[in-house]
Amino acid sequence: MWLLGWILIIAALTFYFSSQEERTVVQYSPEGDIEVVIPRRFGHYEIDGEINGVVASMMVDTGATSISIPEALADQMNLERGREIVALTAGGPIAVYQTRIDRLRLGEIVLYDVRATINPEPDVNSVLLGMSALAALEFEQRGNTLVLRQRGRPKG
């Protein structure tokens, strides 16, 4: 009986959280704007995107100057390591490498030739979507969603 109770509790929690999970939505305006609506999950805005054709999970970070890519993922994307610079992070200064992303895709939003850094820290596993990409877009928070907007249709 005790085991059955635990199974029911786990099943109920699984159902509750799976029904609460929202999905990223892409919308188009009559003016040709593309909007990507990202739901907040556990206090963060996360989106699956593509960097040079490689799928990556990205966390929106308006406090980051540029996109920060973990070294292992940068290797999969064949990103070139440029000049070494010091980045100031919440955990203190770290050495990172400058790089450029040829094509960044967030839903139907596409950006080209975006500045980024490669982070060699071994405990980093998520891409931080910083201002080097966000500055090319409009963004606003609406309740528990973040809306990224690209004006007009992208070229290319």
Side-chain angles (χ1 to χ4, degrees), residues 16 18 27 57 90 93 146:
Y16 174 77
S18 65
Q27 304 172 153
S57 177
L146 180 68

Side-chain angles (χ1 to χ4, degrees), residues 75-110:
D75 290 342
Q76 291 176 21
M77 298 169 178
N78 295 317
L79 292 175
E80 292 183 25
R81 282 169 182 68
R83 190 175 69 140
E84 183 176 315
I85 61 171
V86 174
L88 301 176
T89 70
I94 61 168
V96 297
Y97 300 94
Q98 294 178 326
T99 193
R100 302 235 24 125
I101 296 170
D102 293 329
R103 184 174 187 266
L104 171 66
R105 183 177 177 157
L106 307 165
E108 293 300 313
I109 292 174
V110 180

Side-chain angles (χ1 to χ4, degrees), residues 44 51 57-70 73 89 101 104 115-117 119 124-134:
H44 300 283
I51 297 175
S57 177
M58 302 178 199
M59 184 171 65
V60 176
D61 185 352
T62 58
T65 303
S66 68
I67 297 172
S68 177
I69 305 167
L73 192 54
T89 70
I101 296 170
L104 171 66
R115 185 172 37 88
T117 59
N119 185 345
V124 175
N125 56 13
S126 182
V127 173
L128 295 181
L129 185 61
M131 292 304 294
S132 61
L134 296 173

Side-chain angles (χ1 to χ4, degrees), residues 1-17:
M1 195 61 152
W2 179 79
L3 180 61
L4 180 60
W6 275 109
I7 291 172
L8 289 174
I9 289 171
I10 291 171
L13 288 172
T14 301
F15 175 75
Y16 174 77
F17 284 111

